[in-house]
Amino acid sequence: MSVVVEDAVSSSVSVHESKPLSGVRTPSQNLVAVDGYGKKFEVPDYTMKDILSAIPKHCYERSLVKSMGYVVRDIVSMCAIGYVGHKVIPMVQIANHDTLSMVVRGGLWSLQSYLIGLFGFGLWILAHECGHGAFSDFQNVNDFIGWVLHSYLMVPYFSWKYSHSKHHKATGHLTRDMVFVPYTKDEFAEKHGVSNVAEIMEESPIWTLSVLIFQQLGGLQTYLATNATGQPYPGLSWLAKSHYAPSSPVFDPHQYWFIVLSDIGILTTLTVVYQWYKNFGAFNMFVNWFMPWLWVNHWLVFVTFLQHTDPSMPHYKDTEWTFARGAAATIDRNFGFVGQHIFHDIIETHVLHHYVSRIPFYNAREATDAIKKVMGSHYRYEGESMWYSLWKVMRMCQYVDDDNVNGVMMFRNVNGL
């Protein structure tokens, strides 16, 4: 008999994921659907036991020294980039071309902020490792490091940790997943104020671009402040379901004071940034913290959206969801040198991360190769440019529908794609 999550999960995932969705039932076998590309999609039927048995035991080993080494590397890189920039960029001068000199310096300041933002997102990923218990064997150390790093990047550490753990427990579940939950066909029609999606005119590329820009620049903060793209909580204001509200339904009652501690971290960072502005000036704070922070916001939405949204990717109603199927409803992509060496392989090994999130990123490639042998054709990988993927996904993945066949929901759109 298949169950929602096999017992093997409990012994192999991090503490805050050791109690997945409860219930015992037998989902349908040999299910077939049609994905957003019009291709046949076969629902996986392997179990978590199959996955976990394939992963070498040493992949679970975590090293505090190695993990802290990456933290130090990223912080030193950010400081070095800022130091060199502030020493070199003001000296850039093109003879007899003051305006051109100013433009070039502006471009170099922008490049500095961009590079700091790359390593800033690397720190965000290491804090994310802390939340999963993948950073070291010592959870108190993990939580302290994660709280400091996430707070500096204006992410409420414990709030994110708890809601993110629920996302991992219910990935791909249409009514219990916590982020990037797609509209159903009826919800999409209701959003547009019509009775049927057939009545919706094609969304123009200009509209898609506008939505895309807002999503990339403000998506993370909108999600944290209002739980946008998360599960709806009818009757509650945006503030009441915020990640900053200790009594938010996103969290369990016993997590109240940890949410308060997360808020204290955010307030501490705002205080530090204000003192930064007072002592070193607005421009120094702008190019070394604010602009890199915007880049971190962008990268987080960019990466997580594309990890969980693709025309080939399913979502499941409760009747057909299992942990193993949900974890397979993710996709690995390729972001080249930056993805592997600065973003700590979060893009390239995300499928494995959803099966066993306490495996540290530096062991994830080996573990990924191991589970590919079990997953076979169910393992998803896309090697095209992620920038092209972002545009394609925005145009093609607008709502999900099961075509009145079963509880396997596939992406559809009104753009004729």
Side-chain angles (χ1 to χ4, degrees), residues 368-389:
T368 294
D369 289 340
I371 68 170
K372 284 180 184 179
K373 299 172 184 176
V374 176
M375 297 183 69
S377 62
H378 300 295
Y379 170 76
R380 267 185 209 79
Y381 171 81
E382 178 57 75
E384 69 187 14
S385 165
M386 287 185 65
W387 296 102
Y388 173 71
S389 292

Side-chain angles (χ1 to χ4, degrees), residues 147-178:
W147 180 78
V148 171
L149 296 180
H150 262 173
S151 295
Y152 176 75
L153 299 169
M154 293 295 288
V155 174
Y157 172 73
F158 289 102
S159 306
W160 177 275
K161 171 182 173 178
Y162 295 138
S163 69
H164 190 62
S165 73
K166 292 182 178 181
H167 159 61
H168 270 258
K169 293 175 186 176
T171 306
H173 194 298
L174 194 61
T175 58
R176 298 191 187 184
D177 201 349
M178 298 299 292

Side-chain angles (χ1 to χ4, degrees), residues 172-210:
H173 194 298
L174 194 61
T175 58
R176 298 191 187 184
D177 201 349
M178 298 299 292
V179 66
F180 291 121
V181 180
Y183 291 110
T184 63
K185 186 176 183 179
D186 291 341
E187 290 169 342
F188 188 75
E190 182 179 354
K191 170 196 171 189
H192 286 76
V194 299
S195 59
N196 191 291
V197 294
E199 301 175 34
I200 302 174
M201 295 180 63
E202 177 182 348
E203 291 191 336
S204 69
I206 294 297
W207 174 253
T208 301
L209 180 62
S210 301

Side-chain angles (χ1 to χ4, degrees), residues 172-397:
H173 194 298
L174 194 61
T175 58
R176 298 191 187 184
D177 201 349
M178 298 299 292
V179 66
F180 291 121
V181 180
Y183 291 110
T184 63
K185 186 176 183 179
D186 291 341
E187 290 169 342
F188 188 75
E190 182 179 354
K191 170 196 171 189
H192 286 76
V194 299
S195 59
N196 191 291
V197 294
E199 301 175 34
I200 302 174
M201 295 180 63
E202 177 182 348
E203 291 191 336
S204 69
I206 294 297
W207 174 253
T208 301
L209 180 62
S210 301
V211 173
L212 188 59
I213 292 172
F214 173 78
Q215 172 183 287
Q216 295 309 118
L217 293 181
L220 172 60
Q221 298 308 316
T222 303
Y223 170 68
L224 293 174
T226 70
N227 199 43
T229 78
Q231 291 295 337
Y233 295 102
L236 293 179
S237 67
W238 65 266
L239 181 60
K241 56 186 179 181
S242 165
H243 275 68
Y244 303 108
S247 299
S248 169
V250 172
F251 312 116
D252 298 330
H254 71 274
Q255 297 167 343
Y256 184 97
W257 290 108
F258 287 99
I259 310 308
V260 172
L261 184 57
S262 298
D263 294 345
I264 290 173
I266 298 299
L267 292 174
T268 301
T269 295
L270 289 173
T271 301
V272 169
V273 170
Y274 177 67
Q275 292 300 320
W276 189 338
Y277 155 74
K278 284 184 62 179
N279 287 279
F280 298 100
F283 183 76
N284 186 291
M285 182 273 291
F286 183 81
V287 297
N288 290 294
W289 184 83
F290 183 75
M291 285 301 294
W293 173 73
L294 285 182
W295 275 112
V296 171
N297 279 253
H298 154 73
W299 290 123
L300 178 59
V301 177
F302 178 78
V303 169
T304 55
F305 178 60
L306 289 177
Q307 286 166 338
H308 298 96
T309 316
D310 189 78
S312 68
M313 191 174 294
H315 283 73
Y316 298 97
K317 292 183 179 178
D318 189 65
T319 53
E320 302 301 343
W321 183 91
T322 68
F323 187 91
R325 287 177 176 178
T330 53
I331 187 169
D332 287 346
R333 299 183 186 271
N334 179 24
F335 206 52
F337 178 89
V338 169
Q340 181 175 357
H341 298 288
I342 302 180
F343 290 175
H344 306 299
D345 266 339
I346 192 67
I347 298 170
E348 289 79 2
T349 62
H350 199 69
V351 175
L352 177 277
H353 176 68
H354 268 273
Y355 278 114
V356 192
S357 59
R358 74 175 178 86
I359 290 179
F361 73 90
Y362 41 80
N363 294 335
R365 288 209 173 211
E366 181 180 358
T368 294
D369 289 340
I371 68 170
K372 284 180 184 179
K373 299 172 184 176
V374 176
M375 297 183 69
S377 62
H378 300 295
Y379 170 76
R380 267 185 209 79
Y381 171 81
E382 178 57 75
E384 69 187 14
S385 165
M386 287 185 65
W387 296 102
Y388 173 71
S389 292
L390 182 63
W391 178 256
K392 179 181 72 177
V393 165
M394 286 295 293
R395 295 290 286 163
M396 294 185 71
C397 302

